[in-house]
Amino acid sequence: TLRINEMDDGRIIISDDSKTMQHLFLRDFELNNERLNTILMILNKLGLKLRENEIIAETTKKHFSRMFVNMISGINSVSSLTLRG
């Protein structure tokens, strides 16, 4: 589930409401420095941010489609970390 908020200044915030990180923690995923750095690297490459375990994309109407796809890709990539052990 994604949450999409349009701000008064024209920015659009797309958020996963911390669901991705909750998924990792429910699968007993230990978040050490190496794994956190991996997550941050994945998100950074896609223009996404991690704030208080919430994956966030800040965008505009013009770039919304691209950032929406990046958000889905980031969530999938981070979620798949549980498959790597």
Side-chain angles (χ1 to χ4, degrees):
T1 302
L2 293 179
R3 182 172 41 98
I4 300 169
N5 292 324
E6 190 167 358
M7 310 307 281
D8 291 337
D9 63 3
R11 289 179 304 137
I12 299 172
I13 309 296
I14 309 168
S15 165
D16 76 336
D17 266 343
S18 302
K19 301 295 185 202
T20 305
M21 296 302 289
Q22 287 175 13
H23 167 76
L24 293 180
F25 297 141
L26 287 173
R27 297 180 143 266
D28 294 326
F29 184 80
E30 186 178 325
L31 188 62
N32 57 32
N33 283 339
E34 182 181 346
R35 288 179 171 170
L36 178 58
N37 287 335
T38 299
I39 290 169
L40 294 174
M41 183 181 67
I42 290 168
L43 298 179
N44 188 48
K45 286 182 179 179
L46 295 167
L48 306 174
K49 298 175 184 174
L50 185 66
R51 288 192 195 140
E52 298 178 13
N53 292 328
E54 186 175 12
I55 297 176
I56 296 174
E58 293 186 29
T59 190
T60 61
K61 286 182 182 179
K62 180 178 180 180
H63 300 290
F64 178 81
S65 296
R66 178 174 49 103
M67 289 307 291
F68 187 83
V69 170
N70 285 2
M71 187 74 170
I72 299 300
S73 179
I75 288 169
N76 284 334
S77 295
V78 170
S79 294
S80 72
L81 292 175
T82 58
L83 303 175
R84 297 184 207 169

